[in-house]
Amino acid sequence: MAALLAGSLAMSAQTDSERYEQRYELLVSKMGAAGLGVETVLDNWEKVDSLNPKMLLGRFSYWYAKAQSTQVVMKDTRKYLGMEPILTLKDSLGKDVFYFQEVVFDDELYGQAMKAAEKAVAAWPDRLDLRLVKANAYIAYEKESPDMALAYLQDLIRENAARKTAWDYNGVEADDEFFEEVMQEYCFSFYTIGSPVAQEAFHTLSKQLFEIYPDNMVFLNNIGSYHLLKRDYKTA
């Protein structure tokens, strides 16, 4: 009886927002980020807690998942966007032809996802994890031509350099060391994509980071790697 009473008290102490969060997490675990019923839960959750960061991120995830589909593309290179082929065949001349599985986006639904991300960032401007959600979405969408991703990250680097307080990363304080490590991950992403535009983005981002963090030799090594890619051995 005491256990039942304690359980009832715990449930009654839950807020409406917490109940919707539980429903959301259960639905997503069973149906996926854009599964049946997810949007209804998010709508109801928003009515009781319109600035909840998990709800806002859930809204982004809903549209982002809905925007995606996959297709198989044929390329004449052994890697595409840093990926290994899912299948390799020979053409009529005996030359290898490589097939890759690529994620493609519906532009309108992707736009809805980015609006949701922007709303989350506006509500929680000190949340670095929400900023990175946008950066990741840009990279996934732009693929071989990450112009918007580069511009967005450059702005974020400038903002970080001007900050007087640490970022919040999902409830954890993120200092400069953490920020530099995260930015190196984006440098590596551009390097891995490997297209000419992505290589230039890799170089540009690495140069900007080394100018701000001259003690971090990783960014200097990046610059050297770029010149090696370009066969500029003297500069490298």
Side-chain angles (χ1 to χ4, degrees):
M1 177 68 77
L4 270 172
L5 181 60
S8 298
L9 287 172
M11 286 187 67
S12 63
Q14 265 192 329
T15 65
D16 287 341
S17 182
E18 289 168 338
R19 280 191 284 274
Y20 283 121
E21 181 180 344
Q22 285 186 347
R23 291 180 199 173
Y24 170 76
E25 290 176 350
L26 179 62
L27 261 180
V28 169
S29 70
K30 303 293 185 185
M31 307 293 290
L36 184 66
V38 170
E39 186 178 21
T40 299
V41 171
L42 288 169
D43 289 343
N44 291 330
W45 191 0
E46 186 172 13
K47 289 175 184 175
V48 300
D49 195 358
S50 63
L51 296 180
N52 186 293
K54 292 181 180 178
M55 182 277 297
L56 294 169
L57 184 57
R59 184 75 73 183
F60 163 81
S61 299
Y62 172 79
W63 288 113
Y64 190 67
K66 279 185 74 71
Q68 295 183 48
S69 59
T70 59
Q71 65 180 16
V72 175
V73 295
M74 182 178 68
K75 300 289 179 180
D76 59 1
T77 56
R78 292 183 179 274
K79 281 202 172 185
Y80 174 58
L81 302 176
M83 299 184 296
E84 299 287 344
I86 59 172
L87 181 66
T88 304
L89 298 174
K90 299 283 187 182
D91 65 13
S92 59
L93 298 176
K95 182 181 177 183
D96 285 337
V97 178
F98 305 97
Y99 294 84
F100 299 85
Q101 184 168 283
E102 179 182 16
V103 175
V104 293
F105 291 88
D106 177 282
D107 290 342
E108 183 177 351
L109 296 177
Y110 176 83
Q112 291 293 332
M114 295 309 285
K115 285 179 183 177
E118 287 159 9
K119 185 175 181 180
V121 168
W124 300 90
D126 292 328
R127 286 280 298 266
L128 179 61
D129 51 325
L130 298 179
R131 303 296 188 97
L132 301 185
V133 162
K134 284 189 68 177
N136 295 340
Y138 279 135
I139 290 174
Y141 179 77
E142 293 185 294
K143 299 183 176 69
E144 293 182 290
S145 301
D147 298 316
M148 290 188 295
L150 174 61
Y152 182 77
L153 288 168
Q154 287 185 292
D155 286 343
L156 190 59
I157 291 166
R158 284 188 283 267
E159 182 177 345
N160 181 71
R163 283 183 71 88
K164 304 301 181 184
T165 57
W167 293 97
D168 173 8
Y169 189 91
N170 195 23
V172 178
E173 185 176 288
D175 58 13
D176 267 350
E177 182 179 356
F178 180 83
F179 185 85
E180 291 172 47
E181 290 173 357
V182 169
M183 289 302 107
Q184 173 58 13
E185 289 298 315
Y186 286 111
C187 290
F188 183 72
S189 292
F190 291 145
Y191 179 87
T192 301
I193 290 169
S195 67
V197 176
Q199 288 177 4
E200 292 305 318
F202 166 67
H203 183 228
T204 299
L205 200 66
S206 298
K207 278 181 61 180
Q208 181 182 5
L209 287 161
F210 184 63
E211 287 170 4
I212 297 173
Y213 307 108
D215 294 331
N216 192 326
M217 293 296 104
V218 171
F219 302 132
L220 182 60
N221 290 339
N222 287 352
I223 297 168
S225 296
Y226 167 81
H227 289 296
L228 288 174
L229 282 172
K230 298 300 181 182
R231 290 183 164 81
D232 182 2
Y233 302 115
K234 184 176 180 180
T235 305

